[in-house]
Amino acid sequence: MINCIVVDDEPLARQLIVSYIEQLPGLHCLGSYPTAVEAFTALHQHQVDVIFIDIEMPGISGLNFIKSLKTHPKVIFITAYTEYAVEAFEIEATDYLVKPVMFERFLKAVQKVGLNKNESQRINQPTAEITNIFLKVDKKLVKINLSSIIYIEGLGDYVKVHTPNHTYVSYMALGKLEALLPNYEFIRIHRSIIINKHLIQYIEGNFVRIADIDLPIGLTYKANLFKSVE
């Protein structure tokens, strides 16, 4: 049995990786933590074999946290950014996964930490479906049902999440939020807009009609949008 912990400041991202771990009989999740500080405590309380860790987090980054440890378990970085890969492998990361992480890619990574063929057989159960996302809004962690999201706007370092009854503003880059959303439900149609595909009414010219709102389609995103609705 391989003992592991998950470290990521995004609740949805932690939930996804924990759900993957629970499907493999050879892995055991000792806990999931939103900060490196909490993970540090866990490392001293338990025998941890593998740590799945995000890179960009409040306080200390995942990279700097691993560098600060005199000794550390095997490390699999899970991040929305590709630019840290070289640095990650320089500190002997076992693997480097870019969000959104599919189960098949996750499985390849855990096989590198010693999971044998029998232990890596998926338990016969459906993948946990993610139905909610947690966003930091006005110093609170707000739970938002994914099906209620109409569209999301990127405004520099912030996002505006539009639902039928409320608009939530959160300090987060649009790309980071996009990496946490299930791609079967959401699609980016513009450099600053992500929409809920299930709410599309029609597409006409360079606009998509969704919940009686016309939203622009970026030229570089148009082909992918049409492909996703075929």
Side-chain angles (χ1 to χ4, degrees):
M1 181 68 70
I2 296 174
N3 292 321
C4 52
I5 62 173
V6 180
V7 189
D8 197 310
D9 61 311
E10 297 296 337
L12 187 62
R14 292 199 306 273
Q15 180 184 343
L16 178 65
I17 298 305
V18 170
S19 75
Y20 286 171
I21 292 170
E22 290 175 345
Q23 294 181 62
L24 297 175
L27 292 182
H28 174 60
C29 184
L30 295 169
S32 63
Y33 309 95
T35 67
V37 173
E38 292 178 61
F40 181 78
T41 301
L43 288 173
H44 284 77
Q45 292 178 338
H46 306 285
Q47 177 61 48
V48 178
D49 302 307
V50 183
I51 178 170
F52 298 94
I53 187 167
D54 188 17
I55 291 181
E56 292 201 356
M57 297 186 293
I60 183 171
S61 73
L63 279 168
N64 288 336
F65 172 63
I66 297 300
K67 289 177 182 178
S68 72
L69 301 174
K70 291 183 179 179
T71 60
H72 59 75
K74 293 180 180 179
V75 179
I76 296 177
F77 286 105
I78 301 178
T79 176
Y81 305 94
T82 60
E83 58 262 37
Y84 302 110
V86 172
E87 188 176 356
F89 286 115
E90 284 178 348
I91 58 174
E92 300 181 345
T94 299
D95 210 337
Y96 188 96
L97 309 184
V98 178
K99 300 174 182 176
V101 179
M102 299 297 102
F103 182 82
E104 291 72 21
R105 180 65 183 90
F106 175 83
L107 184 57
K108 288 181 180 179
V110 297
Q111 287 174 336
K112 295 179 182 179
V113 300
L115 207 63
N116 65 42
K117 186 175 181 180
N118 290 332
E119 291 174 325
S120 62
Q121 292 296 315
R122 197 173 190 172
I123 295 174
N124 187 21
Q125 63 181 37
T127 303
E129 182 179 351
I130 297 172
T131 58
N132 302 293
I133 187 170
F134 289 85
L135 291 180
K136 294 177 183 176
V137 180
D138 296 330
K139 298 182 180 180
K140 295 181 291 186
L141 202 57
V142 179
K143 180 180 179 180
I144 303 172
N145 188 285
L146 291 180
S147 64
S148 73
I149 297 174
I150 301 171
Y151 70 101
I152 304 166
E153 287 182 271
L155 302 169
D157 293 331
Y158 291 83
V159 291
K160 290 178 70 176
V161 179
H162 298 267
T163 70
N165 300 316
H166 197 81
T167 296
Y168 301 92
V169 179
S170 180
Y171 182 71
M172 178 186 290
L174 184 65
K176 189 169 185 179
L177 178 54
E178 181 183 22
L180 301 175
L181 298 171
N183 56 18
Y184 59 82
E185 191 167 358
F186 293 89
I187 187 169
R188 195 163 184 162
I189 64 165
H190 188 277
R191 66 179 182 178
S192 60
I193 301 173
I194 296 171
I195 65 169
N196 186 331
K197 291 194 293 186
H198 301 308
L199 299 180
I200 293 175
Q201 293 169 273
Y202 60 81
I203 301 170
E204 184 176 20
N206 292 322
F207 289 87
V208 58
R209 184 78 164 181
I210 179 169
D212 295 325
I213 302 168
D214 291 324
L215 297 173
I217 304 170
L219 292 178
T220 58
Y221 299 90
K222 195 169 186 178
N224 189 46
L225 173 61
F226 276 98
K227 184 178 179 181
S228 72
V229 297
E230 287 178 350

